[in-house]
Amino acid sequence: MRGAIEFTSTRRPAVRDTDDAPLLAELRTGAWLVVHLAALTVLSWLGTFKGSGRLPAPYDSFTVAAVSLAVFFWAVRSGVGHSATRARVVQG
């Protein structure tokens, strides 16, 4: 919660009031991190490494790898879109 408050209070003025980069769009580009942490928490609980053991040994690692790869591509795509938006705001 503290991070969200600091984020909204320290945003750069050049980006603050433009229609190209509203706060919701900026938060949406970082949503991959929340999803990734939630998925890792659930997979850790389901796995065999001090978890409940509902997801057997080799499959828990494969599942974490697949989810992490999917989130990686999502994060890269979000970052590229965010960089393009920031470049338009700075130029415009």
Side-chain angles (χ1 to χ4, degrees):
M1 188 62 167
R2 180 176 166 234
I5 293 170
E6 287 183 23
F7 172 75
T8 56
S9 66
T10 60
R11 292 183 60 210
R12 290 187 22 212
V15 180
R16 182 170 288 158
D17 294 327
T18 62
D19 291 334
D20 293 335
L23 178 61
L24 185 60
E26 289 184 24
L27 292 176
R28 195 177 307 130
T29 59
W32 64 268
L33 182 60
V34 176
V35 171
H36 185 62
L37 292 175
L40 287 180
T41 301
V42 170
L43 290 173
S44 177
W45 176 73
L46 289 173
T48 56
F49 299 108
K50 294 188 180 181
S52 64
R54 296 178 190 202
L55 195 59
Y59 301 112
D60 58 354
S61 296
F62 293 142
T63 306
V64 167
V67 168
S68 296
L69 189 64
V71 170
F72 171 77
F73 285 114
W74 180 17
V76 168
R77 186 172 176 193
S78 294
V80 168
H82 182 70
S83 294
T85 302
R86 297 274 313 211
R88 276 184 294 185
V89 169
V90 170
Q91 289 176 357

